[in-house]
Amino acid sequence: MERGFERYLADLVEETYTAFDVAAVLRGSRSGGSRVVSKLLKNSRPLERHVVRPKLTEYERTIGRQFETVLDYAAGDAPFDRYTDEILARDIYWDALRNGVRGERREAIRDRLLARQRAFGDDIAPIVDAESDEFVPAVAEAYDREDAVALVEEHLAFSAPLHEERSAFAFELDIDPGDILGGLARALPSISVEFTDEALRAMRRAEQQVIPQATSEIERAYQS
């Protein structure tokens, strides 16, 4: 069952990488007129390979580790509160929360992030208990067709928290020109650029590819 989720997650990351436009991020950065950005714009492909790809891989691993914790909750008898600290520690949105988000708004976002993961755990609990170890057959065993499709559509929409609270999060790339360009570029200063808008756009594009594929797999399970 876990491998099924990881496959969809990997597909989402791959599609996000394909859709991601690092040149648009650089052009829109606060350092848009700098010499560093100008040089990087001429070498966007190496930047994608050496900075964007590792960042997305890091997110994939973090989400995977968070899923392991949610799965422990779904498969066990312990109350959800026992898992909240670990779930937040492995939440890419909680990690990207802007420093200026405080007080009641911060607590409300925390509660929504946790509620999302708790709902995920509650929804996969019947799948964990299914006889099949494969994700799609287990989903078909645990749910009727309509509920199964709704489950996939909801829980593969990883961009939902960012879409709902766009201004609360800041996703950033730290770029060392020397690592990308080598040579004389080692004398150029490192920069940090925010890619929150591009992350949302690329993730939504990825979801438009992966979620329909996943729901088609689910629906075929009810036709056999």
Side-chain angles (χ1 to χ4, degrees):
M1 199 280 286
E2 186 174 354
R3 288 194 301 272
F5 173 81
E6 290 173 345
R7 177 169 64 85
Y8 291 132
L9 174 59
D11 289 346
L12 281 165
V13 169
E14 187 61 35
E15 292 293 340
T16 298
Y17 177 72
T18 299
F20 196 91
D21 187 352
V22 70
V25 173
L26 291 172
R27 286 193 295 267
S29 71
R30 292 186 296 273
S31 304
S34 74
R35 181 185 174 198
V36 175
V37 169
S38 296
K39 285 187 173 294
L40 291 171
L41 278 168
K42 297 175 183 178
N43 296 273
S44 60
R45 292 304 298 169
L47 181 59
E48 290 173 0
R49 290 195 301 271
H50 295 292
V51 178
V52 177
R53 168 69 81 178
K55 193 68 173 180
L56 292 178
T57 299
E58 174 191 333
Y59 288 155
E60 180 181 357
R61 290 172 179 166
T62 301
I63 294 170
R65 289 195 296 270
Q66 186 184 55
F67 176 66
E68 291 173 358
T69 305
V70 173
L71 192 59
D72 287 343
Y73 160 67
D77 298 321
F80 182 76
D81 290 349
R82 183 173 297 180
Y83 300 91
T84 55
D85 289 345
E86 189 171 354
I87 286 174
L88 282 178
R90 298 175 173 185
D91 194 289
I92 63 172
Y93 290 108
W94 188 247
D95 183 63
L97 194 67
R98 294 183 187 273
N99 291 333
V101 178
R102 300 176 181 175
E104 292 183 0
R105 188 184 183 195
R106 178 184 174 88
E107 289 304 307
I109 290 173
R110 177 186 182 276
D111 290 346
R112 282 200 296 274
L113 291 174
L114 287 172
R116 179 177 175 81
Q117 296 305 321
R118 181 171 190 168
F120 189 21
D122 291 341
D123 286 347
I124 63 175
I127 303 173
V128 173
D129 292 335
E131 291 185 6
S132 177
D133 293 330
E134 298 297 324
F135 180 76
V136 172
V139 170
E141 180 183 335
Y143 288 99
D144 62 29
R145 180 174 177 171
E146 183 177 345
D147 288 341
V149 170
L151 181 149
V152 170
E153 289 177 341
E154 178 179 356
H155 295 300
L156 290 185
F158 287 107
S159 69
L162 183 56
H163 179 69
E164 295 165 0
E165 285 280 0
R166 163 63 190 82
S167 64
F169 304 105
F171 289 90
E172 296 181 329
L173 290 172
D174 295 319
I175 304 172
D176 184 339
D179 290 342
I180 308 302
L181 307 175
L184 296 176
R186 299 187 187 282
L188 296 173
S190 298
I191 62 171
S192 180
V193 296
E194 183 175 332
F195 65 98
T196 311
D197 288 340
E198 183 60 19
L200 178 58
R201 188 197 68 80
M203 289 169 67
R204 295 293 292 274
R205 179 69 63 85
E207 289 164 359
Q208 291 169 4
Q209 297 294 320
V210 175
I211 293 177
Q213 294 172 6
T215 55
S216 293
E217 290 182 5
I218 295 293
E219 289 175 340
R220 284 197 297 272
Y222 292 89
Q223 297 170 0
S224 57

